[in-house]
Amino acid sequence: MSAPTLDRPAAPDEAALQAQFDATIAADHRIEPRDWMPEAYRSGLVRQIAQHAHSEIIGMQPEGDWLLAAPSLRRKAILLAKVQDEAGHGMYLYSAAETLGADRADLTDKLIERKQKYSSIFNYPTLTYADVGVIGWLVDGAAICNQVPLCRSSYGPYARAMIRVCKEESFHQRQGYELLMTMMRGTDAQRAMVQDAVDRWWAPSLMMFGPPDDDSPNSAQSMKWGVKRHSNDELRQRFVDMTVPQAEVLGVTLPDPELALDPATGRYRFGAIDWTEFKQVIAGKGPCNDERIARRRAARDDNAWVTEAATAYAGKHSR
Ligand SMILES: [Fe+2]
Ligand SMILES: [Fe+2]
């Protein structure tokens, strides 16, 4: 029998670590960066958080296009604040991914090389100023439905980042709705602009919740690990139930003849979603995919000198 070495405690075996991880998840406690975690949990989270961060950063583009054409100083100040918030959301999320060992520059490279995805919604163009309002109302509204449950995600840094993000998304949704309310009180031409924007953004907004549950390969494992709390279809239904009464108050028609309240459930039934379009946009063939990536690439390349200078400066100070 060999004596145990006193200077080096035996490393806990993987089964014990796994058991501890499982117990933490079962007790609904948080996993923190220094905790042991299964590799699939880590890599799955990096994939999800990176995709989320990329969506925030690419999501600055459609509305950013209207910054110079905002109709008043007040609207410009609101839109500027909103677009800056989205940049901040991207930064919190890249930081959360870094706690899992990911490298921020590497994630950006993967986005530009189309090895990682971002939300399909940001590949549609913003044709009029009403689109700014509709994005705030519908796109940020859908983002809130998706993100509020992530405040209880099992991974601590992701959950904590989401608390602040959700507070800001709530402001985004309200500024969009307030803009639309103002336009709806305006001229016939303004009301027609709002309706046209709603017609174009409604279906893509429903697609933001991802594919239907029976075609969502990563969902079951994410739910088991407490990273995700509700299924895609459940979140989509919540969004529809929340939005229909808002559309009525606003005075717009949602472009779905099958949309109707189901008296038995108190929830709204809605028509089939064009998943072929969704898959095409995800595959890079949406109206603006090439433009979005080209701009992100230019931003990385044109500003590389800033990163270099900041890195050199930080290096000098740490020496
Ligand atoms: Fe955001
Ligand atoms: Fe937002």
Side-chain angles (χ1 to χ4, degrees):
M1 199 176 104
S2 62
T5 49
L6 293 175
D7 56 341
R8 215 176 58 191
D13 61 49
E14 184 141 336
L17 291 167
Q18 178 75 53
Q20 195 178 18
F21 173 85
D22 292 343
T24 306
I25 298 285
D28 207 12
H29 293 157
R30 298 286 166 267
I31 303 293
E32 295 298 337
R34 283 181 200 165
D35 295 340
W36 181 91
M37 60 190 85
E39 176 50 28
Y41 177 85
R42 194 196 69 80
S43 59
L45 263 173
V46 170
R47 182 187 55 80
Q48 181 178 337
I49 297 173
Q51 190 167 316
H52 194 163
H54 298 331
S55 302
E56 302 283 356
I57 296 297
I58 294 284
M60 296 163 74
Q61 291 188 32
E63 289 171 286
D65 282 343
W66 283 95
L67 279 172
L68 296 178
S72 68
L73 186 57
R74 178 171 176 266
R75 291 293 168 201
K76 190 183 292 237
I78 294 170
L79 184 57
L80 195 55
K82 197 235 176 194
V83 172
Q84 282 183 322
D85 281 353
E86 305 301 4
H89 298 174
M91 295 304 124
Y92 310 149
L93 287 160
Y94 285 127
S95 296
E98 282 175 327
T99 67
L100 292 159
D103 177 77
R104 189 180 298 222
D106 176 56
L107 296 180
T108 296
D109 291 346
K110 285 191 171 122
L111 164 68
I112 290 168
E113 290 155 19
R114 303 187 190 227
K115 289 178 187 158
Q116 284 179 341
K117 297 189 190 314
Y118 57 91
S119 178
S120 57
I121 193 80
F122 300 117
N123 293 307
Y124 292 86
T126 40
L127 302 182
T128 71
Y129 204 74
D131 290 41
V132 168
V134 170
I135 288 179
W137 175 39
L138 296 181
V139 176
D140 290 275
I144 291 169
C145 288
N146 264 331
Q147 291 175 165
V148 165
L150 291 175
C151 297
R152 295 187 299 115
S153 160
S154 62
Y155 188 58
Y158 193 26
R160 288 189 288 274
M162 278 303 112
I163 292 170
R164 179 162 176 182
V165 167
C166 284
K167 285 186 182 155
E168 293 178 349
E169 296 301 358
S170 158
F171 153 71
H172 298 171
Q173 207 248 0
R174 284 169 206 202
Q175 66 81 34
Y177 199 70
E178 189 267 345
L179 166 57
L180 297 178
M181 275 293 199
T182 307
M183 291 186 79
M184 292 302 284
R185 285 194 297 263
T187 63
D188 284 346
Q190 285 174 309
R191 277 186 286 276
M193 269 169 75
V194 173
Q195 184 61 56
D196 170 64
V198 170
D199 290 347
R200 285 181 286 108
W201 288 92
W202 175 247
S205 299
L206 295 182
M207 295 176 197
M208 283 177 71
F209 298 91
D213 293 347
D214 51 18
D215 189 24
S216 180
N218 299 315
S219 282
Q221 185 61 71
S222 283
M223 288 187 57
K224 218 172 99 192
W225 276 332
V227 173
K228 200 175 160 131
R229 298 288 182 176
H230 307 282
S231 79
N232 294 354
D233 288 333
E234 169 57 22
L235 291 169
R236 191 167 9 251
Q237 183 67 53
R238 278 187 193 191
F239 172 70
V240 173
D241 293 342
M242 178 183 95
T243 307
V244 174
Q246 295 173 355
E248 283 164 8
V249 172
L250 196 57
V252 295
T253 308
L254 296 172
D256 179 355
E258 290 177 49
L259 196 63
L261 186 65
D262 181 345
T265 60
R267 312 195 87 173
Y268 285 88
R269 283 192 294 249
F270 51 95
I273 294 168
D274 183 358
W275 293 114
T276 314
E277 175 181 321
F278 173 76
K279 283 181 180 160
Q280 276 188 334
V281 176
I282 286 287
K285 296 180 201 117
C288 301
N289 296 60
D290 293 343
E291 181 188 326
R292 302 292 182 236
I293 292 293
R295 275 205 196 153
R296 185 68 195 87
R297 180 188 294 275
R300 180 195 62 181
D301 296 348
D302 296 349
N303 298 310
W305 68 273
V306 179
T307 312
E308 268 167 46
T311 308
Y313 184 75
K316 195 171 114 188
H317 276 262
S318 67
R319 276 200 301 278

